[in-house]
Amino acid sequence: MAKNFNTLKALLTPEAQEKVAQMAEQMLQEMPLLELRQARGLSQKMMADALNIQQPAVAKIEKRTDMYLSTLRNHIQAMGGELEIVARFPEGSVKIQNFSDL
Amino acid sequence: MAKNFNTLKALLTPEAQEKVAQMAEQMLQEMPLLELRQARGLSQKMMADALNIQQPAVAKIEKRTDMYLSTLRNHIQAMGGELEIVARFPEGSVKIQNFSDL
């Protein structure tokens, strides 16, 4: 599958690759942290244990509308995921690299 | 094009939609904030003016490996883009919604 993917990618112009990327982004499900945790089958208690914090702190994080990228990354990693930061422009999207080593 | 896209999407199973999304994500270019600014044809001075801060503050932000989501969002908006927060899991990717109203 990885090989097929690279073959496919090689056949596409950069413009076509970008169009595919843009279309796919619109397909992504969107949800708040609390719903994402529930969709992952995790309780606040399980998150608290994984993050080595207290349960009310997990509840607080889920309600926040702003936080450090490192906090969010830890939170998503505790759910078994990886944080990805994307800047979308009319001409295309770019992953921001600064935060790979948090 | 939007109509064609919706027709295409309707034909795909959720699993197929997810596969397309995953493949497209791997196609995204990846770069640090400084390179992204240069790629957008912007100087630190222009960013400073747009953000109503001093030029050294722009340089500092570009070197940071951690920051508040709101800081990053302002920075990307000053470049004419939109910040998108994605959590990637082996089973699929999800946009995080908490931060839409920063």
Side-chain angles (χ1 to χ4, degrees):
Chain A
M1 144 71 186
K3 198 180 167 190
N4 289 344
F5 170 67
N6 284 329
T7 312
L8 168 66
K9 191 176 170 184
L11 292 171
L12 297 176
T13 63
E15 291 72 26
Q17 288 181 28
E18 184 50 47
K19 193 162 282 184
V20 170
Q22 297 263 345
M23 286 168 66
E25 255 177 70
Q26 295 174 46
M27 288 181 181
L28 285 191
Q29 268 195 291
E30 197 167 342
M31 60 181 85
L33 284 177
L34 184 151
E35 267 178 48
L36 178 57
R37 170 178 55 74
Q38 292 172 337
R40 302 289 299 166
L42 298 167
S43 66
Q44 285 186 344
K45 178 76 176 67
M46 290 160 85
M47 289 292 292
D49 291 346
L51 288 163
N52 212 17
I53 58 178
Q54 299 297 310
Q55 185 174 330
V58 175
K60 225 182 223 173
I61 288 172
E62 290 182 345
K63 276 185 215 137
R64 275 202 222 157
T65 54
D66 197 8
M67 65 181 77
Y68 269 103
L69 283 162
S70 53
T71 306
L72 180 59
R73 183 180 299 272
N74 287 340
H75 202 84
I76 288 171
Q77 285 179 340
M79 291 192 254
E82 284 301 323
L83 174 66
E84 206 168 87
I85 308 293
V86 177
R88 295 185 67 166
F89 297 94
E91 306 83 8
S93 296
V94 174
K95 274 193 232 178
I96 308 294
Q97 220 175 31
N98 298 50
F99 319 110
S100 318
D101 303 320
L102 291 184
Chain B
M1 143 73 186
K3 197 180 170 190
N4 289 345
F5 171 66
N6 285 329
T7 312
L8 169 66
K9 189 175 170 184
L11 291 172
L12 297 176
T13 62
E15 290 72 26
Q17 288 181 29
E18 184 49 47
K19 193 162 281 184
V20 170
Q22 297 263 344
M23 286 168 66
E25 256 176 69
Q26 295 174 45
M27 288 179 181
L28 286 191
Q29 268 197 289
E30 198 168 341
M31 59 180 86
L33 284 176
L34 184 150
E35 267 179 47
L36 177 57
R37 169 177 57 72
Q38 291 171 337
R40 303 288 300 165
L42 299 166
S43 67
Q44 286 187 344
K45 179 77 176 66
M46 291 160 85
M47 289 292 293
D49 290 346
L51 289 163
N52 211 17
I53 58 179
Q54 299 298 311
Q55 185 174 332
V58 174
K60 226 182 223 176
I61 288 172
E62 290 181 345
K63 277 186 214 135
R64 275 202 221 159
T65 54
D66 198 9
M67 64 181 75
Y68 269 103
L69 282 162
S70 54
T71 305
L72 180 60
R73 182 180 298 273
N74 287 341
H75 202 83
I76 289 172
Q77 285 179 341
M79 290 191 255
E82 285 301 324
L83 174 66
E84 205 168 88
I85 307 293
V86 177
R88 295 185 67 167
F89 297 93
E91 306 82 7
S93 296
V94 173
K95 275 193 230 176
I96 307 295
Q97 217 174 32
N98 298 50
F99 319 111
S100 318
D101 304 320
L102 290 183

